[in-house]
Amino acid sequence: MPDGVATASKSEQAYQAVKARIVDGTYSPGYRLVLAKIAEDLGVSVVPVREAIRRLEAEGLVTFVRNVGATVAGIDPTEYLYTMQTLSIVEGAATALSAPLIGPAAIDRARAVNAEMRDCLDHFDPLRFTALNQAFHSILFESCPNPHLLDLVHRGWNRLASLRSSTFRFVPGRAHDSVAEHEALLQLIESGAGADTIETAARLHRSTTLDAYLAQTNH
């Protein structure tokens, strides 16, 4: 394998590994990312780790602090509020534009993911539930024909990555309602409901989660 390809592969490996640890809370907000230590843990050189950290910085998951270095970025309640409000708008629009392009096979995949989410409710695992939640919504918005809108949706999810693992941990009761709302959303898409109806339902689904989170955390 050429050196450039090998470096790129190791950079992707480091990126995925560090991002996963941020999302699952192993690297919590404010955690100092020591490149040499991460490189040692992953069995790679510092170069691909540095490239991975730069990618994560661009996504808003890592920030550089003077005299400290790279640290995991946190999202304060106000930032969370603004990000979720924005995401509810752009994701709702992307889902509405995707709806006419979502065929029976995609509906079946989304419903299967939602069934897994339902199974999680008895022995609740917020990390698994959150991962499945992202997978469910990705099926609904990934067919969006507007690449600029889709880019905004991905940016919103990336900005929330460090908090996604904790959202349902704070409001586990919201998970039950979320599964029911998913099925209602699928039924709207299946029935050929209008774009405005689907967009409103998708936006309300997102904003209700935000309201529950903010109420539970007293913000």
Side-chain angles (χ1 to χ4, degrees):
M1 181 182 295
D3 290 343
V5 175
T7 299
S9 177
K10 290 179 180 178
S11 175
E12 178 65 23
Q13 174 192 346
Y15 166 79
Q16 294 295 343
V18 176
K19 184 172 183 177
R21 293 175 186 181
I22 291 175
V23 171
D24 69 17
T26 301
Y27 296 162
S28 58
Y31 181 89
R32 185 184 176 200
L33 298 167
V34 180
L35 273 60
K37 179 64 169 62
I38 295 173
E40 180 182 353
D41 290 343
L42 298 179
V44 299
S45 70
V46 171
V47 174
V49 174
R50 183 179 294 114
E51 293 175 355
I53 296 300
R54 286 172 179 163
R55 283 180 65 184
L56 292 166
E57 181 190 16
E59 293 178 2
L61 297 183
V62 169
T63 186
F64 280 86
V65 179
R66 186 189 296 266
N67 299 324
V68 175
T71 62
V72 176
I75 301 180
D76 64 31
T78 302
E79 182 70 11
Y80 180 77
L81 167 65
Y82 292 154
T83 302
M84 281 287 278
Q85 285 178 335
T86 302
L87 188 56
S88 72
I89 295 170
V90 296
E91 188 178 45
T95 300
L97 288 175
S98 291
L101 305 174
I102 299 175
I107 291 289
D108 288 345
R109 283 194 296 119
R111 191 161 271 135
V113 172
N114 203 39
E116 290 188 62
M117 296 179 73
R118 190 177 292 108
D119 290 341
C120 279
L121 297 177
D122 292 334
H123 303 285
F124 192 58
D125 179 348
L127 293 181
R128 176 165 169 71
F129 190 89
T130 296
L132 289 169
N133 185 55
Q134 181 179 5
F136 175 87
H137 284 287
S138 293
I139 294 170
L140 300 193
F141 64 65
E142 285 294 355
S143 295
C144 177
N146 184 327
H148 298 291
L149 188 57
L150 196 56
D151 178 63
L152 291 174
V153 174
H154 286 303
R155 286 174 181 267
W157 277 93
N158 285 334
R159 293 187 73 183
L160 290 174
S162 63
L163 280 182
R164 280 197 311 236
S165 62
S166 65
T167 301
F168 289 106
R169 183 177 289 130
F170 279 106
V171 286
R174 172 65 189 142
H176 291 262
D177 293 337
S178 184
V179 169
E181 290 165 15
H182 284 175
E183 176 57 31
L185 192 53
L186 289 176
Q187 290 180 15
L188 285 176
I189 295 172
E190 280 183 310
S191 68
D196 288 347
T197 300
I198 293 173
E199 181 173 353
T200 298
R203 287 180 62 176
L204 183 61
H205 171 67
R206 174 70 59 190
S207 62
T208 302
T209 298
L210 168 63
D211 292 343
Y213 177 84
L214 294 178
Q216 184 66 29
T217 54
N218 297 316
H219 292 292

